[in-house]
Amino acid sequence: MTRSHYYFNSSIFRQNFRQHGWIGIIYALGLLFALPLQLFMSNNPDAKPQEIDHLFRIAGSVQALFIITIPVAAGLFLFRYLQAKSPADLWHSLPLRREHLFTAHLTSGLTLLLLPVWLTAGVVAVVKPWSGNFYIFQGADIWQWCITVSILTLFLFCFSVFVGICTGQSILQGIIIYILLILPVVLISLINSHFAMYLYGYANANTNVNFRDSSLQMWSPFVHIVYYFTVKPFTNTELWIYGVLALLFIGLCYLLYRKRNTEKAGQAIAFGYFNPLFKAGVMLCAMLIAGNYFAQMKHQMGWVISGYAIGAIIGYVAAEMIVRKTWQIMTRKMVAEFAVYAVMIGLLLYIPVSSVTGYEARVPSGDKISGVYMGANYRLYTPTDGLHTTPYMGQNPFSDDKDYIETVRKLHQTVVAVRPEHTSQQYVYEYFTLAYQLENGHKLVREYWIPNKGFESELKAVKDTEAYKYEKYNLAFLDREMDLMWITNRNKRVAISDPGEILELKEIIKREILNMSYEVQIDKDGKPDVANIETEVKVKEDSNQVSSSYGYYYPWKSSFHELEKWMNEKGYADKIRITAEDIQSAEIIKDDYMDEQTPKNPTSPEQRVVLAREKNRTAVTKDKTLLTDILDHHFHYGVENGNYIVKLMYKEGYSDFVMLKESDMTPELKALLK
């Protein structure tokens, strides 16, 4: 056997290096610029060396640019001969078996790409101890960087080659490569949006296309590299996955290359059995995009159905024109084929959101539940951006109290039976996540907007429980060590630093909140909070270094009599209350002349006061006694004829609107409006 029949044909190597060696040169220069050179580049030459935990923090965006483009370009250029008829005929006329030819090109590409990575790692290791290096890192960080970039380079190159073998046009190959790298994230987001619109209580109802969601980035190396490279490197598990996928693509390339016809050069899809998959995929994406768009813009079923139909037509026509390489595609067969695709994909989209699945009415039985959560902070226990920590991380959000589980279940059963929609403006709605930890280890999560009206008994049963109050008001945070607590009220702020007082205050806050009635929780009396009590919760990373601090506010309700007594005894109440001395003036109107027939019937207090001024129905006072009466009896503002609206002007320059009831008006205040 002659050398030309060896797998590693030296002639092909030399030809590839002469013709495509620039790829390796650009990759080497790019990585050398992005990493070793940047070790000595700084805007401040007097800056002290900075300790970093991985090398991707150094010009990470520049590294990402070369890593995401050069391996793909290598796959495009090295296998360019497959996409044009003359080069394809020339290369395949050589006395080489196809697997030998493919191996030679594959090895040439890997050599051009991996040598620059290893060279860069070697240069970094050499210059690491040099003076002038602005970064401090370990030798293990160099190894980790080298392995990560090598595996990503291998994966992207092999994936590029695989797509090139399945397609017959270089431009289409490049487009499809990046579409497929991003497609999983976009498709998951579109499906989430589709489910959120048609599945009542769907747990990802607030999810849009968000490339910064770390729960999605695991499906796309492109998204991970572009958005997370500098702060969240690939884990060992992810690297193993991409390494295995690279080997899988190599195996598929050997298999498909042997079956690929040379005549397919110039065709959009090289294998006919991929055409149905290509058409269905394009149609599915087009239908989801168009359907979601029309559903969000026009909340009418006719528009929604039209959106899906338009998306189906556009998707099918576009895919058909790409496959045939012409716009003249109208045939009788095409109409029938389109109908089949449309029906199949339509069923694929409809069945998961239909009543067949039982998703909307599913409430687990009590004997299958080991824990339950109800509140608005569920996502903070496992944040999805992957970049930030929260005070909730590391805590178990579920309560195993059987009575609490049953009260949440009863509320859930009522919600799925009534199905209140968050559309009416006359009710106050609250957002809740209901999450069940099941005995089999699975979780069932639902999200709802529940109005206070009509669900009073069920909500009261839940909100009166200790488990709900502990989560709702984050009472667990009070068990953490705190150096300071603050009492805040507008621009007034008082610090409490005495450890004994902090301990007393935390215990009083717990008792007051745990004893708080349902009526106070929903602010039924309309009384504003006296002040807020701010705490600082510190969150640590795995390295036990403090990463950030989070402030949380506990309310000082007017019904918290024990807290008020303690504040008075310690002398904090007088320092924090708003008094008449803080008010410059008060403008009062009686809100009893506006009805549906009133022109410009506004809901904002400013507009109502302006309208009253036009009719000379306002009064302004600076009397300290009257201002004190207003502060002692005022409520939250709300549109309700027969009450009095008061615009308070503070000496600091800002204003506030409050409300007085008829019974709260003293004769002196009423006399102002006569």
Side-chain angles (χ1 to χ4, degrees), residues 509-568:
I509 292 173
K510 277 187 181 181
R511 287 195 295 272
E512 292 284 22
I513 290 179
L514 291 177
N515 293 328
M516 188 165 47
S517 66
Y518 170 71
E519 289 72 20
V520 174
Q521 292 184 65
I522 64 173
D523 199 23
K524 191 172 183 180
D525 60 358
K527 296 290 288 184
D529 295 342
V530 178
N532 288 310
I533 301 170
E534 181 182 353
T535 63
E536 186 178 87
V537 180
K538 296 180 179 179
V539 179
K540 297 182 179 181
E541 297 178 342
D542 294 337
S543 61
N544 292 326
Q545 297 295 321
V546 176
S547 58
S548 55
S549 299
Y550 294 83
Y552 187 79
Y553 294 87
Y554 294 93
W556 174 359
K557 300 281 187 183
S558 58
S559 60
F560 288 0
H561 302 303
E562 183 184 359
L563 178 59
E564 183 173 6
K565 180 181 177 182
W566 187 88
M567 290 291 185
N568 285 323

Side-chain angles (χ1 to χ4, degrees), residues 8 12-17 20-25 27 70-79 101-118 150 153-158 161 250:
F8 304 102
I12 296 178
F13 277 160
R14 288 193 298 270
Q15 172 62 26
N16 282 334
F17 277 98
H20 305 297
W22 60 270
I23 295 175
I25 294 173
Y27 202 29
I70 300 301
V72 172
L76 288 169
F77 284 99
L78 281 166
F79 290 86
L101 184 63
F102 177 79
T103 301
H105 284 291
L106 180 68
T107 309
S108 300
L110 293 177
T111 304
L112 288 172
L113 293 172
L114 294 180
L115 281 180
V117 177
W118 301 338
S150 296
T153 300
L154 174 66
F155 168 78
L156 291 171
F157 175 68
C158 294
V161 174
I250 291 176

Side-chain angles (χ1 to χ4, degrees), residues 4-152:
S4 63
H5 290 80
Y6 291 165
Y7 270 96
F8 304 102
N9 189 283
S10 60
S11 299
I12 296 178
F13 277 160
R14 288 193 298 270
Q15 172 62 26
N16 282 334
F17 277 98
R18 281 196 301 267
Q19 187 174 0
H20 305 297
W22 60 270
I23 295 175
I25 294 173
I26 291 179
Y27 202 29
L29 293 176
L31 292 179
L32 289 171
F33 170 79
L35 191 53
L37 182 62
Q38 298 303 317
L39 295 177
F40 304 91
M41 304 291 288
S42 175
N43 293 329
N44 182 9
D46 298 325
K48 294 182 179 180
Q50 174 187 357
E51 186 172 357
I52 56 176
D53 52 355
H54 56 79
L55 294 180
F56 298 107
R57 291 192 182 277
I58 304 173
S61 58
V62 180
Q63 294 186 48
L65 174 64
F66 286 100
I67 293 171
I68 205 70
T69 56
I70 300 301
V72 172
L76 288 169
F77 284 99
L78 281 166
F79 290 86
R80 174 72 178 82
Y81 70 92
L82 291 175
Q83 319 297 13
K85 182 170 175 42
S86 297
D89 291 338
L90 175 63
W91 279 100
H92 293 135
S93 65
L94 297 176
L96 292 172
R97 295 175 61 180
R98 286 201 170 189
E99 53 265 34
H100 298 176
L101 184 63
F102 177 79
T103 301
H105 284 291
L106 180 68
T107 309
S108 300
L110 293 177
T111 304
L112 288 172
L113 293 172
L114 294 180
L115 281 180
V117 177
W118 301 338
L119 173 64
T120 303
V123 172
V124 172
V126 170
V127 303
K128 175 179 177 290
W130 288 8
S131 61
N133 181 5
F134 288 99
Y135 297 94
I136 301 174
F137 51 89
Q138 306 300 319
D141 297 326
I142 303 175
W143 278 106
Q144 186 65 29
W145 180 91
C146 183
I147 293 172
T148 300
V149 177
S150 296
I151 292 177
L152 292 177

Side-chain angles (χ1 to χ4, degrees), residues 573-620:
D574 293 337
K575 297 178 181 179
I576 206 68
R577 288 184 188 275
I578 298 296
T579 66
E581 297 299 327
D582 301 307
I583 308 296
Q584 178 177 326
S585 64
E587 186 174 12
I588 308 174
I589 70 168
K590 186 172 184 180
D591 195 15
D592 64 348
Y593 61 92
M594 299 186 205
D595 52 30
E596 294 180 358
Q597 286 73 40
T598 302
K600 300 180 181 180
N601 186 14
T603 57
S604 75
E606 183 65 50
Q607 290 177 322
R608 297 175 88 84
V609 170
V610 170
L611 190 57
R613 287 177 191 153
E614 295 174 355
K615 299 185 178 183
N616 296 319
R617 302 191 61 168
T618 69
V620 179

Side-chain angles (χ1 to χ4, degrees), residues 131-387:
S131 61
N133 181 5
F134 288 99
Y135 297 94
I136 301 174
F137 51 89
Q138 306 300 319
D141 297 326
I142 303 175
W143 278 106
Q144 186 65 29
W145 180 91
C146 183
I147 293 172
T148 300
V149 177
S150 296
I151 292 177
L152 292 177
T153 300
L154 174 66
F155 168 78
L156 291 171
F157 175 68
C158 294
F159 182 69
S160 175
V161 174
F162 170 74
V163 175
I165 290 177
C166 296
T167 58
Q169 299 173 9
S170 294
I171 295 178
L172 185 63
Q173 176 189 353
I175 294 173
I176 289 178
I177 287 170
Y178 286 107
I179 287 178
L180 292 178
L181 288 176
I182 302 174
L183 182 62
V185 173
V186 177
L187 194 58
I188 291 172
S189 298
L190 289 172
I191 291 174
N192 272 340
S193 180
H194 174 73
F195 287 167
M197 286 188 293
Y198 304 111
L199 280 178
Y200 183 72
Y202 184 64
N204 287 315
N206 297 322
T207 299
N208 295 315
V209 179
N210 181 8
F211 289 160
R212 295 189 179 274
D213 190 335
S214 67
S215 65
L216 299 180
Q217 58 86 17
M218 64 173 292
W219 298 97
S220 171
F222 181 90
V223 173
H224 193 153
I225 292 172
V226 171
Y227 288 103
Y228 285 86
F229 217 33
T230 59
V231 293
K232 188 182 179 185
F234 288 85
T235 64
N236 292 333
T237 301
E238 291 171 329
L239 293 178
W240 273 106
I241 292 174
Y242 287 125
V244 171
L245 286 176
L247 296 177
L248 176 62
F249 286 133
I250 291 176
L252 291 174
C253 287
Y254 274 107
L255 177 65
L256 294 174
Y257 190 28
R258 291 169 54 186
K259 297 183 178 182
R260 177 187 165 111
N261 294 326
T262 306
E263 294 78 11
K264 292 297 183 178
Q267 299 296 318
I269 306 297
F271 300 96
Y273 39 82
F274 284 160
N275 286 341
L277 181 62
F278 177 73
K279 294 178 184 177
V282 175
M283 281 187 67
L284 175 63
C285 293
M287 289 175 69
L288 283 172
I289 293 172
N292 287 338
Y293 173 79
F294 277 85
Q296 293 175 4
M297 299 300 294
K298 290 285 188 178
H299 303 284
Q300 299 175 6
M301 187 53 63
W303 280 97
V304 174
I305 295 175
S306 299
Y308 284 108
I310 292 171
I313 295 171
I314 293 175
Y316 181 81
V317 170
E320 193 72 18
M321 288 192 296
I322 291 174
V323 170
R324 296 194 189 184
K325 298 196 328 183
T326 178
W327 60 273
Q328 297 177 339
I329 59 175
M330 287 301 298
T331 62
R332 293 181 180 178
K333 179 182 176 182
M334 191 199 77
V335 176
E337 185 180 74
F338 168 76
V340 172
Y341 278 109
V343 171
M344 292 179 61
I345 298 176
L347 290 174
L348 181 65
L349 294 176
Y350 171 73
I351 291 177
V353 299
S354 67
S355 58
V356 175
T357 63
Y359 180 94
E360 297 173 322
R362 189 175 299 127
V363 180
S365 57
D367 59 338
K368 296 181 179 179
I369 302 173
S370 61
V372 69
Y373 170 89
M374 178 173 170
N377 299 318
Y378 184 71
R379 298 189 184 196
L380 297 179
Y381 289 90
T382 54
T384 59
D385 65 359
L387 306 178

